């Protein structure tokens, strides 16, 4: 059974290939067209998934997409007509900039795009999967035989938050919130009010650590917690239910928290404190939901997914402050994983096939041969050394210990928004100035944003207050007091760190680098941030070379090839 999951006309366009319930490829179009969160049809992903691998659409049994048109149209009709005439303000595309107006004709768009790529021919059946069902289906590749599944995002085709119980190859929805009672939409709207762009909610999460409690009590008035674990957003403050992101807040919100910050306006205490109030209220609401789920459903395992599932500080709160014993968040919790989820839902939930696979690593993107790497190095005119693995690992570990910044490009690329050891920039966490150095020489991003530490899985509890693995960088536990001064570059302003635990089986080469660094320094932790500079994470060797030459990284490692040569930056 070969299933193609695919989506377009909404942010994070891309595709996934599923063979007998096992993912073989998961691609985000942004990695190819270099447009973050692109809505464009994934032609380049199709090229990589089919043409470059000798496949054709005839090899596919069924196509799935993670939006259900009937549900979506009903919800949009209700949203517009349920509050006339104000609801008409939801119709302009600028009110919902993450999606094309043509999302309501998604299956037709897929047919035309697929025929444009493969030619005019009969296509496999296209199956529409409800958006939150697609998110929840990641349970089928989780480490749990049974679990509660919590889905939270901006909005789906029916709701913004939902919960499921999962057992074996079955999922059942047991709760959902109101469509506009959305933690994701609230976070996005406040992030824009603070002067940040779409999809910069993670930046606001980082900013919150620098804030204080000035607005916390007042902000709690925006979210009413209900006795049964539900909640509602106070319509006295918001207007995104009638105006979308064109005018998300009413005057009462402006009076309470001040005017919108312009993007070039300096960040002040008011902005930091509003970010703190937003983050703390979101955390409290999520913990409120989760505690009620734990009372109603017996499983002590929890899967968290949807875009809000990328809030690693809130995830750590769930693990710390509820009675769930294990919390698992996939690397592709956001809509980048929705095509995969739609394929999994159809394979297991609809067709009834048993589970046969566990997602233990995130490396389901594209990979490149030695010949392709050498070709791109030669085209760039760069000298290089090819090393045996043992020599490569010890050399890179020594470079890190000397304070060098390493561009690290290995194997197949990661799925999801975070670099997890194959498209990473690595540095020494022991140097308190390293974060500022990486920002000045490579990343050029806000100084309050942290860089995550990657730690050997078996040593994680020595450095961080966590008692489970976190291979996908989805938790931000506290750094232990006696270790904070040892890895100061990895510690955020609030004493937490967005960690990644690395085990030998999932990524032996990345594990080997950290282990070699630990043997050299006594610290089995390296600083890990995404291999990019204000662009999507690099996918191809040529993009890694370009990023290396456009920045001041000290070393570039592409597979077995070690580069310190520098030429003038490419165009």
């Amino acid at each position: 059974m070969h299933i193609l999951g695919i989506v377009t006309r909404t942010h994070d366009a891309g595709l996934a290939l599923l063979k007998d319930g096992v993912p073989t490829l998961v691609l985000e179009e942004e990695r190819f067209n270099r447009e973050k969160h692109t809505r464009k049809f994934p032609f380049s992903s199709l090229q990589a998934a089919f043409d470059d691998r000798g496949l054709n659409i005839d090899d596919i049994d069924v196509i799935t997409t993670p939006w259900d048109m009937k549900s979506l149209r009903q919800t949009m009709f209700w949203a517009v007509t349920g509050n006339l005439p104000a609801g008409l303000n939801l119709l302009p595309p600028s009110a919902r900039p993450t999606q094309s107006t043509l999302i309501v004709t998604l299956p037709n768009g897929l047919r035309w795009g697929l025929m444009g790529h493969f030619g005019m021919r009969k296509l496999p059946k296209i199956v529409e999967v409800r958006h939150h069902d697609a998110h929840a289906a990641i349970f089928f590749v989780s480490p749990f035989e049974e679990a509660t599944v919590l889905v939270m995002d901006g909005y789906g085709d029916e709701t913004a938050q939902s919960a499921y119980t999962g057992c074996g190859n079955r999922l059942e929805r047991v709760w959902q919130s109101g469509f506009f009672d959305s933690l994701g939409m609230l976070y996005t709207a406040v992030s824009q009010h603070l002067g940040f762009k779409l999809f910069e909610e993670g930046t606001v999460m980082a900013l919150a650590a620098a804030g204080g409690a000035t607005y916390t009590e007042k902000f709690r008035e925006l979210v009413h917690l209900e006795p049964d674990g539900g909640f509602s957003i106070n319509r006295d403050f918001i207007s995104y239910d009638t105006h979308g992101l064109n005018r998300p807040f009413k005057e009462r919100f402006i009076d309470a928290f001040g005017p919108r910050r312009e993007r070039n306006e300096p960040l002040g205490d008011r902005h930091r404190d509003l970010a703190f109030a937003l983050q703390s209220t979101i955390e409290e609401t999520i913990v409120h939901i989760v505690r009620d789920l734990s009372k109603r459903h017996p499983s002590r395992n929890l899967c968290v997914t949807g875009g809000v599932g990328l809030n690693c500080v809130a995830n750590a709160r769930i693990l710390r402050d509820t009675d769930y014993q294990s919390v698992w968040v996939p690397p592709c919790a956001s809509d980048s994983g929705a095509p995969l989820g739609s394929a999994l839902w159809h394979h297991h939930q609809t067709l009834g096939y048993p589970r046969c696979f566990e997602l233990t690593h995130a490396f389901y993107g594209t990979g490149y041969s030695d010949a392709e790497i050498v070709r791109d190095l030669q085209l760039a005119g760069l000298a290089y050394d090819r090393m045996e693995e043992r020599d490569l690992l010890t050399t890179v570990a020594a470079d890190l210990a000397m304070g060098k910044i390493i561009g690290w490009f290995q194997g197949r690329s990661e799925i999801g928004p975070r670099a997890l050891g194959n498209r990473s920039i690595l540095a020494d966490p022991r140097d308190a100035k390293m974060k500022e150095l990486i920002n000045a020489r490579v990343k050029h991003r806000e100084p309050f944003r942290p860089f995550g530490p990657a730690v050997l899985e078996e040593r994680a509890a020595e450095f961080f207050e966590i008692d489970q693995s976190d291979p996908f960088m989805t938790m931000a536990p506290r750094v232990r007091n006696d270790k904070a001064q040892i890895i100061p570059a990895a510690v955020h302003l609030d004493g937490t760190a967005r960690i990644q635990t690395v085990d030998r089986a999932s990524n032996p080469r990345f594990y080997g680098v950290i282990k070699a660094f630990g043997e050299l320094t006594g610290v089995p932790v390296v600083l890990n941030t995404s291999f990019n500079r204000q662009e999507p994470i690099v996918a191809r060797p040529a993009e890694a070379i370009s990023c290396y030459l456009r920045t001041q990284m000290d070393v570039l490692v592409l597979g077995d090839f070690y580069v310190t040569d520098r030429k003038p930056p490419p165009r």
Side-chain angles (χ1 to χ4, degrees):
M1 172 62 65
H2 294 79
I3 302 175
L4 167 65
I6 187 169
V7 73
T8 186
R9 295 183 174 175
T10 184
H11 65 91
D12 297 317
L15 61 81
L17 291 177
L18 198 70
K19 179 182 178 181
D20 294 331
V22 177
T24 59
L25 198 66
V26 182
L27 302 178
E28 299 167 57
E29 185 68 8
E30 72 162 33
R31 303 291 176 89
F32 300 101
N33 71 9
R34 313 307 295 160
E35 178 184 295
K36 279 192 173 185
H37 302 289
T38 187
R39 304 186 316 194
K40 295 177 181 176
F41 192 88
F43 287 114
S44 297
S45 296
L46 287 173
Q47 169 80 32
F50 287 86
D51 304 359
D52 294 352
R53 303 167 79 225
L55 299 177
N56 201 288
I57 196 66
D58 297 333
D59 298 307
I60 299 300
D61 296 295
V62 64
I63 298 169
T64 63
T65 193
W67 292 90
D68 178 71
M69 294 304 100
K70 181 179 179 181
S71 299
L72 182 62
R73 290 166 186 161
Q74 287 177 343
T75 299
M76 293 180 71
F77 178 81
W78 166 82
V80 172
T81 62
N83 197 358
L84 290 173
L88 295 172
N89 291 292
L90 292 171
L91 293 175
S94 56
R96 37 188 171 72
T98 61
Q99 285 186 330
S100 165
T101 302
L102 295 175
I103 183 69
V104 293
T105 61
L106 176 59
N108 287 335
L110 292 176
R111 290 187 186 95
W112 283 111
L114 289 167
M115 286 190 288
H117 184 85
F118 293 107
M120 300 298 290
R121 62 204 302 164
K122 184 178 179 180
L123 296 173
K125 179 182 178 182
I126 296 178
V127 175
E128 301 166 25
V129 176
R130 293 186 303 180
H131 192 65
H132 276 214
D133 289 348
H135 276 309
I138 203 69
F139 159 74
F140 294 130
V141 295
S142 77
F144 308 133
E145 175 62 21
E146 49 78 27
T148 301
V149 183
L150 177 60
V151 181
M152 302 177 288
D153 59 10
Y155 55 87
D157 38 36
E158 295 179 307
T159 183
Q161 287 87 206
S162 59
Y164 298 71
T165 56
C167 184
N169 68 340
R170 308 306 299 166
L171 280 163
E172 179 185 359
R173 188 183 292 187
V174 294
W175 170 78
Q176 69 181 54
S177 70
F179 184 78
F180 286 112
D181 293 319
S182 168
L183 300 181
M185 291 174 71
L186 180 62
Y187 216 111
T188 294
V190 176
S191 296
Q192 289 197 295
H193 189 78
L194 287 169
F196 295 97
K197 296 178 183 177
L198 280 173
F199 306 109
E200 291 189 330
E201 292 86 350
T203 303
V204 175
M205 181 180 67
L207 179 65
T214 306
Y215 298 120
T216 302
E217 286 301 318
K218 187 66 177 177
F219 200 91
R220 287 185 179 132
E221 296 180 24
L222 268 76
V223 184
H224 293 155
L225 302 184
E226 297 165 359
D228 61 354
F231 70 95
S232 60
I233 304 294
N234 190 341
R235 302 302 198 270
D236 293 337
F237 287 89
I238 69 155
S239 53
Y240 56 70
D241 58 333
T242 56
H243 292 73
L245 292 179
N246 280 332
R247 198 179 78 193
F249 296 116
K250 294 179 178 176
E251 287 300 318
R252 184 171 176 181
F253 183 93
I254 309 301
D255 292 342
F257 305 111
R260 175 172 174 157
R261 169 184 168 261
E262 297 300 322
R263 190 162 178 84
N264 58 356
E265 179 184 345
L267 284 165
D269 288 341
R270 176 174 69 86
H271 308 118
R272 288 185 279 268
D273 292 350
L274 179 54
F276 179 91
L278 168 68
Q279 175 66 26
S280 61
T281 301
I282 294 297
E283 290 176 28
E284 290 168 6
T285 306
I286 292 173
V287 168
H288 171 73
I289 296 168
V290 169
R291 283 175 173 163
D292 186 76
L293 289 174
S294 71
K295 293 176 184 177
R296 294 174 182 267
H297 307 288
S299 176
R300 296 302 88 193
N301 302 318
L302 180 68
C303 295
V304 180
T305 188
V308 179
L310 294 175
N311 192 310
C312 54
V313 180
N315 294 339
R317 281 283 308 273
I318 292 173
L319 191 60
R320 187 182 75 224
D321 296 343
T322 74
D323 58 2
Y324 280 102
Q325 296 172 0
S326 298
V327 179
W328 185 79
V329 186
C332 51
S334 64
D335 277 12
S336 63
L340 172 61
S342 70
L344 289 168
W345 178 273
H346 186 70
H347 188 264
H348 297 293
Q349 187 81 6
T350 303
L351 300 181
Y353 286 108
R355 293 167 62 180
C356 59
F357 173 79
E358 179 184 336
L359 189 72
T360 58
H361 65 79
F363 310 115
Y364 291 93
T366 50
Y368 298 88
S369 66
D370 288 349
E372 291 171 302
I373 292 172
V374 169
R375 178 200 64 196
D376 287 340
L377 286 169
Q378 291 177 343
L379 285 173
L382 294 179
Y384 57 86
D385 292 317
R386 184 168 191 169
M387 295 186 178
E388 296 296 325
E389 182 169 279
R390 180 187 294 274
D391 293 335
L392 182 69
L393 299 184
T394 56
T395 300
V396 170
D399 286 341
L400 290 170
M402 289 188 289
K404 293 183 179 180
I405 300 171
I406 314 291
W408 181 256
F409 181 106
Q410 298 292 326
R412 296 176 65 178
S413 58
E414 300 90 335
I415 59 176
R418 290 169 183 163
L420 298 170
N422 277 14
R423 302 289 186 274
S424 293
I425 295 172
L426 308 180
D428 186 349
R430 301 172 303 157
D431 184 350
K433 296 181 179 179
M434 185 54 71
K435 188 177 78 167
E436 289 75 17
L437 191 63
I438 296 174
N439 266 332
R441 294 175 54 187
V442 182
K443 301 290 280 190
H444 300 281
R445 68 184 198 182
E446 295 86 353
F448 56 81
R449 292 173 63 183
F451 296 118
V455 57
L456 298 184
E457 182 181 62
E458 64 271 21
R459 303 284 300 278
E462 295 178 32
F463 287 79
F464 309 99
E465 296 179 2
I466 193 169
D467 58 3
Q468 70 164 54
S469 63
D470 181 18
F472 304 134
M473 204 182 284
T474 59
M475 301 275 179
R478 296 196 65 80
V479 182
R480 295 196 180 277
N481 290 333
D482 61 333
K483 295 297 191 293
Q485 294 303 314
I486 297 175
I487 53 170
V491 184
H492 196 30
L493 298 168
D494 57 359
T496 65
R498 188 177 71 186
I499 72 168
Q500 177 196 359
T501 60
V502 182
D503 70 281
R504 189 191 300 272
S506 297
N507 195 338
R509 181 164 284 195
F510 191 38
Y511 181 96
V513 166
I514 303 171
K515 188 173 188 296
F517 181 76
E519 290 171 348
L520 189 62
T521 65
V523 178
V525 183
V526 300
L527 216 58
N528 173 21
T529 187
S530 55
F531 198 150
N532 60 355
R533 176 183 173 179
Q534 299 179 343
E535 61 185 321
I537 298 174
V538 300
R540 307 176 181 92
E543 291 151 7
I545 293 167
S546 173
C547 187
Y548 165 73
L549 293 175
R550 286 184 285 111
T551 64
Q552 297 178 54
M553 286 183 243
D554 298 294
V555 177
L556 173 64
V557 180
L558 298 166
D560 296 333
F561 300 92
Y562 179 89
V563 181
T564 56
D565 188 19
R566 303 199 70 88
K567 293 288 187 285
R571 292 176 59 185

